[in-house]
Amino acid sequence: MQLELKQTPLYQIHKDLGAKMVPFGGWDMPVQYTGIIQEHNATRTHAGLFDVSHMGEIFVTGSEADILSLLEKTTCNKISSMYDGQVQYNAVLNENGGLVDDITVYRFSQTKYMICSNASNYPEVAAHLQKYVSGNCKVEDVSKNWHQIALQGPNANQILENYLGKDLSTLLYYHFIELELNGETIILSRTGYTGEDGFEIYTSHTLGLKLWNELLIQGKDLGLVPVGLGARDTLRLEAKYPLYGHELNSEWSPVESGIGFVVKEKNPPYFAYDRIQKDKKENPKQKVVGIILQEPGVLRENFPVFSSDGKEIGKTTSGTHSPTRKESLGLAMLAFPFTKNQTEVWVEIRGQKKKAKVETGPFIKGSVRNQK
């Protein structure tokens, strides 16, 4: 039996804008409005507005000691090093060292944190954390109460400053503030999933709809357009951001998945500490890396990858034709000896092996992804 797709509060607005809707993580979401390439390029050169209200918001509150006991055990980045107003990229681990989800953690105070989790994963993240709660600590999934939109691109700062009448230059990358707007307290963060400068705006549903409509009007002269999941995927691939179910899953460790930079040493340790630290210090057997096709063709997920002597060494996890670079690029899980920069590999596309090379550096230059 097919499950009924959930709809975000912006569903009818997307339909009115002529969006093509598709299933994504149990939600009925816009894949494009005018076209993936046009929306991608608009975000890279001007600005794009994204409906991300299907994402999850989970609050963790209580005593400082009990919050840290929970979050340090279940995540691989160091929560205790955070300070008020900081956002941290992190990953929630299962008991075997695989990933429940990759997340962003917001620290409001020693006794209040928020976790932003992916659309299809946040119920599992909340349940996993609740399983290990102890003492004076509370985990609440409040996703249904929050609305989230993302404004991304080189003109995002000017558009939002014009709208709010507020200087945002002091809001640094991977930080957030709380603001009073229309009689409610909203959360404004500066992270993003595109490789461009930009913001996430957390509000009530009613204010979220108002913001969406008014920002599109406010930003029209600065090139702002609504952007669907299609361009969101090409943008995140150019920025080398992983996607759960592709580069991240319940079996691969954070190091194998290509996000080893979030793995820190901790005492007391997190789940599967020895396995993950061994991957970090001695190199894993396999690892996700970037690859660029050297011949005509388009990379997609689950294409087999071979070494120059014909041995199968892995598979692609994501792939696309890059509108910015005008070539096909993607990510692949490869045996570790073949993950060095510029290693020549071969990808099988429709029965033909095409030459590709490993790219460990950024796909796009000047990406804020590299400021982290």
Side-chain angles (χ1 to χ4, degrees), residues 1 21 25 28 31 45 73 78 151 168 171 212 241 246 266 269 276 278 314-315 320 323 329:
M1 187 175 80
M21 308 298 288
D28 201 359
V31 67
T45 58
K73 178 195 301 183
K78 201 165 188 177
L151 175 63
L168 297 174
L171 179 55
W212 175 276
Y241 276 103
H246 292 254
K266 289 191 196 182
I276 294 171
K278 184 177 181 182
K315 283 189 176 180
T320 191
L329 51 79

Side-chain angles (χ1 to χ4, degrees), residues 5 26 34 45-46 61 70 96 98 102 145 184 187 208 216 225 285 301 334 338 356 361 369:
L5 294 174
T34 56
T45 58
H46 296 91
T61 55
L70 171 67
N96 299 317
D102 65 328
N145 301 332
E184 68 178 75
I187 302 168
L216 284 177
V225 300
K285 293 180 180 178
E301 65 175 309
L334 302 181
F338 301 93
R369 172 74 168 79

Side-chain angles (χ1 to χ4, degrees), residues 187-309:
I187 302 168
L188 179 64
S189 60
R190 193 169 208 151
T191 67
Y193 196 55
T194 64
E196 298 295 335
D197 186 23
F199 306 88
E200 298 76 42
I201 311 169
Y202 298 83
T203 65
S204 67
H205 292 186
T206 301
L207 184 52
L209 270 61
K210 176 180 168 67
L211 273 168
W212 175 276
N213 290 326
E214 292 181 352
L215 281 170
L216 284 177
I217 295 169
Q218 175 82 49
K220 185 175 180 181
D221 290 344
L222 289 171
L224 178 64
V225 300
V227 182
L229 291 176
R232 184 170 164 83
D233 194 53
T234 57
L235 289 159
R236 71 96 185 171
L237 269 172
E238 287 186 345
K240 277 195 172 176
Y241 276 103
L243 178 62
Y244 198 90
H246 292 254
E247 290 71 44
L248 313 171
N249 58 47
S250 62
E251 296 180 5
W252 297 342
S253 78
V255 180
E256 289 177 303
S257 300
I259 57 169
F261 61 91
V262 303
V263 170
K264 302 296 192 296
E265 293 185 356
K266 289 191 196 182
N267 188 24
Y270 40 77
F271 292 135
Y273 187 81
D274 291 343
R275 172 200 172 184
I276 294 171
Q277 285 297 319
K278 184 177 181 182
D279 279 354
K280 177 97 172 183
K281 294 173 181 177
E282 299 179 14
N283 297 325
K285 293 180 180 178
Q286 58 180 358
K287 185 179 177 182
V288 171
V289 291
I291 59 171
I292 299 176
L293 204 59
Q294 303 296 292
E295 300 182 44
V298 179
L299 294 175
R300 300 294 184 201
E301 65 175 309
N302 290 327
F303 287 175
V305 182
F306 300 85
S307 62
S308 295
D309 60 4

Side-chain angles (χ1 to χ4, degrees), residues 127-184:
H128 185 66
L129 295 177
Q130 286 163 351
K131 182 179 176 182
Y132 292 99
V133 163
S134 63
N136 179 19
C137 182
K138 187 177 182 182
V139 174
E140 288 184 281
D141 178 0
V142 294
S143 307
K144 66 180 186 299
N145 301 332
W146 286 91
H147 189 274
Q148 186 189 162
I149 58 177
L151 175 63
Q152 295 279 299
N155 291 346
N157 187 84
Q158 186 178 347
I159 291 167
L160 198 53
E161 282 189 342
N162 291 348
Y163 181 82
L164 296 174
K166 180 180 177 62
D167 177 16
L168 297 174
S169 62
T170 56
L171 179 55
L172 303 177
Y173 189 51
Y174 265 72
H175 288 75
F176 74 98
I177 54 174
E178 292 182 279
L179 295 173
E180 293 300 315
L181 185 66
N182 281 43
E184 68 178 75

Side-chain angles (χ1 to χ4, degrees), residues 61-133:
T61 55
S63 75
E64 179 183 14
D66 290 333
I67 290 173
L68 291 179
S69 175
L70 171 67
L71 295 182
E72 297 290 31
K73 178 195 301 183
T74 53
T75 71
C76 56
N77 207 339
K78 201 165 188 177
I79 300 291
S80 62
S81 67
M82 294 185 69
Y83 48 85
D84 295 357
Q86 182 187 5
V87 184
Q88 181 193 75
Y89 183 62
N90 205 332
V92 177
L93 303 169
N94 61 30
E95 294 82 353
N96 299 317
L99 273 64
V100 181
D101 201 10
D102 65 328
I103 59 171
T104 46
V105 183
Y106 291 60
R107 173 170 154 147
F108 292 79
S109 69
Q110 293 174 325
T111 58
K112 180 181 177 182
Y113 292 76
M114 182 182 81
I115 290 170
C116 180
S117 178
N118 288 300
S120 59
N121 291 22
Y122 67 78
E124 186 178 353
V125 169
H128 185 66
L129 295 177
Q130 286 163 351
K131 182 179 176 182
Y132 292 99
V133 163

